[in-house]
Amino acid sequence: MLTYAFRSVFVVILGILFSFALFCVLPDPAYRVAGGFADKATVASIRKNLHLDEPIAERFVTLVSDTARGRLKSFYTNRPVIGLAIDKLKVSLAVAGWGLVFIFVLCRL
């Protein structure tokens, strides 16, 4: 059971690192965030806010610390990402819990 928990944590960390690597390899994120036609000042402002001019390792540490402190906000809702992640986790656990309840009930029939 404990090794399963460690594997799960490892997979989550691996997913985070993979997502971060894709974010760095794909086309400039500042242009994607700005969308459509954006002037240089808007793109420069977005690059500064997302810390895209920093080295990759420093960017990752900044991203993790901003997420933990609640400074990183969703582009869609402007809510802190950590709060959204906790809300999504609660919903996922509730759905999984109800799924387990129904599985056990159906197994008893």
Side-chain angles (χ1 to χ4, degrees):
M1 183 71 159
L2 193 59
T3 58
Y4 180 73
F6 284 128
R7 276 192 238 155
S8 299
V9 169
F10 178 71
V11 167
V12 168
I13 291 172
L14 199 62
I16 290 169
L17 291 174
F18 181 71
S19 299
F20 183 75
L22 280 178
F23 190 74
C24 293
V25 172
L26 294 174
D28 191 2
Y31 288 106
R32 286 183 301 177
V33 171
F37 300 100
D39 59 348
K40 289 183 179 182
T42 304
V43 173
S45 172
I46 292 172
R47 289 188 67 77
K48 182 180 179 213
N49 288 340
L50 294 177
H51 307 284
L52 294 175
D53 295 328
E54 298 174 0
I56 290 177
E58 193 174 322
R59 261 196 284 172
F60 184 73
V61 171
T62 303
L63 177 72
V64 171
S65 77
D66 283 354
T67 302
R69 291 180 184 160
R71 288 188 206 162
L72 187 65
K73 303 213 182 225
S74 167
F75 293 118
Y76 300 110
T77 62
N78 203 25
R79 287 184 49 206
V81 172
I82 192 74
L84 290 172
I86 290 171
D87 290 346
K88 300 283 184 189
L89 182 64
K90 287 178 188 176
V91 170
S92 297
L93 290 175
V95 168
W98 279 110
L100 287 174
V101 167
F102 286 121
I103 287 171
F104 288 132
V105 167
L106 289 176
C107 288
R108 296 283 181 189
L109 296 177

